[in-house]
Amino acid sequence: MMNTSSGPENTEKSGTHAFPNGGKYFIRTFGCQMNVADSERMAALMGEQGLEPTENPSEASVILLNGCTVREKAVHKALSTLGEYQDFKYRKEKPVIGIGGCVGQLEKATLFKRAPYLDFVFGTDTIDQLPEIVHRVKHGERHVVYADFDRSQDYSTETKIEGSKSQAFVNIMKGCDKFCTYCIVPFTRGREKSRTIDEVVEDVVQLVNKGVREVTLLGQNVNSFGKNNPNVKEREPKELHNIIGKVGPKAGDENFPQLLRALDTDPRLKDLRRIRFTSSHPLDFSDELIECYQPADKGGVSKLCNQLHLPVQSGSDRVLTKMGRHHRIEGYFAQMDRLRAINPDVGLSTDLIVGFPTETEEDFQQTLALLDRVQYDNIYAFAYSPRPGTRAAKLPDDVPNDVKNERLNRLLKYQLKIAEKRYASRVGKTLEILVEGMAKNQILAAQLPEGEKGTVWTGRSGCGRVVNFLNRSPRNLTGKFVNVKITSATGLALAGELDEGEVLL
Ligand code: SAM
Ligand code: SF4
């Protein structure tokens, strides 16, 4: 019989570890960077319980699945992966199995019907309760659900990372108030709430003290960061303006450009080298944020990377209106033109949906024209998938799947040609790369003349491009900033070579 309990109000608190003899945890993540950041937090919490990470679910005492619900396919993927762990429950040493993230938030106890061997479900706001939940399950409870939203007005947290890292994701806000008609995020992540600027700065100081050199500020729409946080310190800019209207934080609230400037100028953050952020919405993409991309000597934010991900979703005004995006394509172009005029080197990327209800070939052609006009480095494109409870789910899903898939493929091929040209223009230049680790593909090293040895490393430039490069010295470059001379390019990545003397930090 199902014994569904709901936390955290009927929680049995415990100071003791659920695994006094140690053990291992395994985490599988689906979805966006927000989910990746949540999984890092889960990993840190399991580490605090004395558990070690493992890549092999069969040797884990705790298996956690962090699922995405943005598209139906992603939900199926998470549930079929869960099925792969079912047999472990027939062992003498049974693992504790839980599923969380947006899937847990949305599906709650219904997941036990589909997967009775599952021990617990947690949501997007209850990750910090994981040790407690695991403890309860370890002590005999089954089918535990912790998927309540945190209803408080404020959002306060502290970034948790495992081990030493040069990059970290920092949640600066949560939720979304935009309610685009196709999107389930406002239902799985709740209403928008921001941390205070002081809290985020303190958090980043702690990360930098631990060796972090690049932070990615995360939120569903970081451009509206600060809404309802009074600007008690009178930080500048006090008010935001936008070519296409004004929706973000009001005058007198904290705002995103203030946060960027606070991180750029805090003397304790001199070792922080790069700031990125994602994601953004054109309605809140302010002139003041565009100004942050200026060169530092002209009043820009010196640590801000030359990169912007600004989702547009479609090139057709008709479709944008149906999507509830509340802006027109000309306004988006005006924003991009202003940004490029200030800083022509910014690498742009976007999200696009094809096959939204009623999308015609003509609408789709306008999306292709958008790619020509904006010249993105990269796009993330998706076939429309109706999501339960959203306004668009009430519209007939009238673009057949084969048409959606054909448009998706055509879009990706079209973009690849644009990216090839854009990437080729970097050949011969030297770019600063933060090295993420050894590249999976070591072909460049295998092609060296006999007797010569080298390793291929991979990392990202400030403008967000993946760069694979060869280094002939045996030195481990993970976490280092290096200058790499670009020697060749495809539409997906750049390749180059490094002199050992070019290691910067
Ligand atoms: N808040 C972010 C934003 O607005 O860019 C990210 C939202 S969502 C996690 C990432 C992308 O998934 C969206 O930008 C959109 O392109 C896509 N997406 C969201 N709902 C979708 C749906 N129902 N079908 C297909 N793609 C969808
Ligand atoms: Fe979803 Fe729109 Fe919010 Fe992005 S801005 S999370 S697409 S509702």
Side-chain angles (χ1 to χ4, degrees):
M1 211 178 87
M2 193 185 289
N3 162 29
T4 303
S5 47
S6 139
E9 57 281 359
N10 58 354
T11 300
E12 164 206 326
K13 288 243 181 232
S14 169
T16 54
H17 288 177
F19 299 90
N21 302 323
K24 295 187 174 171
Y25 67 87
F26 171 83
I27 302 178
R28 182 85 193 264
T29 311
F30 299 91
C32 63
Q33 279 163 316
M34 213 83 59
N35 285 19
V36 174
D38 286 347
S39 289
E40 275 185 16
R41 191 169 192 84
M42 293 174 202
L45 288 163
M46 291 299 102
E48 286 170 10
Q49 294 301 300
L51 297 175
E52 297 282 331
T54 176
E55 300 283 311
N56 180 358
S58 72
E59 59 178 31
S61 312
V62 178
I63 296 178
L64 299 175
L65 225 135
N66 185 7
C68 167
T69 52
V70 167
R71 285 162 292 278
E72 200 181 359
K73 241 191 210 167
V75 177
H76 286 160
K77 189 99 197 276
L79 293 177
S80 69
T81 305
L82 189 62
E84 291 169 20
Y85 310 137
Q86 181 172 3
D87 285 354
F88 302 155
K89 281 293 196 183
Y90 293 108
R91 294 186 181 164
K92 197 161 159 249
E93 290 293 319
K94 297 177 183 36
V96 171
I97 304 181
I99 187 166
C102 297
V103 168
Q105 191 67 52
L106 195 72
E107 306 280 343
K108 300 189 176 67
T110 61
L111 289 166
F112 299 129
K113 288 202 184 113
R114 299 204 221 174
Y117 51 89
L118 186 64
D119 294 304
F120 67 92
V121 173
F122 59 107
T124 48
D125 274 358
T126 48
I127 292 168
D128 285 353
Q129 269 101 50
L130 264 178
E132 211 166 279
I133 307 172
V134 169
H135 189 270
R136 283 174 64 167
V137 172
K138 248 337 239 181
H139 285 81
E141 286 190 55
R142 289 206 62 227
H143 290 174
V144 179
V145 181
Y146 271 51
D148 290 342
F149 271 129
D150 169 9
R151 307 258 171 221
S152 61
Q153 291 299 312
D154 305 326
Y155 173 36
S156 172
T157 187
E158 181 197 337
T159 306
K160 287 182 185 282
I161 53 169
E162 268 272 90
S164 66
K165 288 200 166 92
S166 47
Q167 291 163 290
F169 290 118
V170 177
N171 282 313
I172 60 167
M173 59 185 300
K174 62 179 174 182
C176 182
D177 292 347
K178 283 282 177 288
F179 286 93
C180 301
T181 59
Y182 50 81
C183 185
I184 204 159
V185 168
F187 304 95
T188 57
R189 298 260 170 191
R191 294 292 69 70
E192 230 173 79
K193 286 182 229 174
S194 299
R195 298 170 72 187
T196 62
I197 292 180
D198 280 346
E199 187 188 286
V200 176
V201 172
E202 285 303 321
D203 197 16
V204 176
V205 167
Q206 297 311 318
L207 292 171
V208 169
N209 289 344
K210 288 181 191 157
V212 168
R213 298 290 173 261
E214 176 183 302
V215 289
T216 303
L217 308 175
L218 286 184
Q220 293 299 338
N221 172 19
V222 295
N223 302 167
S224 71
F225 167 87
K227 214 157 84 177
N228 303 326
N229 288 356
N231 179 13
V232 281
K233 295 208 167 159
E234 301 275 307
R235 290 185 168 100
E236 297 286 347
K238 294 211 176 84
E239 195 179 355
L240 300 181
H241 303 84
N242 188 338
I243 315 175
I244 63 172
K246 205 168 125 225
V247 172
K250 55 187 184 305
D253 282 351
E254 292 190 330
N255 60 50
F256 190 58
Q258 288 169 6
L259 173 64
L260 290 179
R261 291 183 184 283
L263 290 169
D264 202 40
T265 52
D266 192 297
R268 296 167 298 167
L269 291 176
K270 63 178 179 5
D271 288 339
L272 177 69
R273 209 168 166 102
R274 286 180 173 178
I275 304 172
R276 300 187 194 275
F277 62 87
T278 194
S279 188
S280 303
H281 191 297
L283 268 192
D284 299 315
F285 189 62
S286 63
D287 298 350
E288 287 74 13
L289 178 52
I290 293 178
E291 279 156 25
C292 293
Y293 282 94
Q294 294 193 103
D297 59 356
K298 293 199 171 133
V301 170
S302 64
K303 294 173 191 190
L304 181 61
C305 286
N306 271 345
Q307 183 198 9
L308 173 68
H309 180 68
L310 189 61
V312 62
Q313 313 299 353
S314 171
S316 153
D317 278 338
R318 201 187 64 79
V319 174
L320 284 177
T321 304
K322 282 197 165 298
M323 287 177 164
R325 296 288 290 179
H326 302 292
H327 68 86
R328 299 177 77 77
I329 205 68
E330 280 305 323
Y332 184 86
F333 290 155
Q335 290 177 322
M336 295 301 92
D337 290 349
R338 190 172 283 190
L339 177 65
R340 282 246 157 90
I342 274 184
N343 185 338
D345 292 333
V346 176
L348 293 174
S349 59
T350 199
D351 288 350
L352 292 159
I353 297 176
V354 297
F356 188 79
T358 77
E359 186 192 67
T360 61
E361 176 62 24
E362 196 188 334
D363 293 316
F364 178 68
Q365 287 295 332
Q366 289 173 14
T367 299
L368 295 180
L370 157 86
L371 299 191
D372 281 330
R373 173 75 160 78
V374 179
Q375 296 283 305
Y376 295 105
D377 280 351
N378 196 8
I379 61 166
Y380 300 88
F382 311 100
Y384 170 69
S385 157
R387 306 308 297 126
T390 60
R391 278 183 291 157
K394 297 194 183 91
L395 302 170
D397 184 16
D398 57 357
V399 180
N401 276 340
D402 55 344
V403 176
K404 281 183 190 167
N405 290 333
E406 189 276 329
R407 284 182 191 161
L408 187 61
N409 288 333
R410 214 168 357 136
L411 188 71
L412 292 171
K413 270 193 198 148
Y414 202 84
Q415 169 58 24
L416 195 60
K417 290 253 170 302
I418 293 173
E420 273 165 10
K421 268 197 210 146
R422 290 195 61 78
Y423 279 41
S425 70
R426 313 303 294 186
V427 174
K429 301 204 160 130
T430 296
L431 298 181
E432 186 190 283
I433 310 301
L434 173 53
V435 184
E436 287 168 14
M438 267 170 70
K440 279 198 189 116
N441 185 336
Q442 290 288 321
I443 285 179
L444 281 176
Q447 288 167 348
L448 283 172
E450 223 183 298
E452 286 187 33
K453 278 196 181 152
T455 305
V456 184
W457 297 92
T458 190
R460 273 180 201 271
S461 63
C463 54
R465 292 179 176 100
V466 173
V467 179
N468 300 310
F469 64 94
L470 185 68
N471 184 29
R472 289 162 203 260
S473 122
R475 181 173 177 189
N476 183 353
L477 295 177
T478 306
K480 303 273 180 233
F481 283 92
V482 296
N483 272 338
V484 173
K485 174 104 186 271
I486 304 302
T487 51
S488 66
T490 66
L492 299 173
L494 298 169
E497 194 156 346
L498 161 101
D499 287 333
E500 177 62 13
E502 288 299 310
V503 178
L504 303 173
L505 203 82

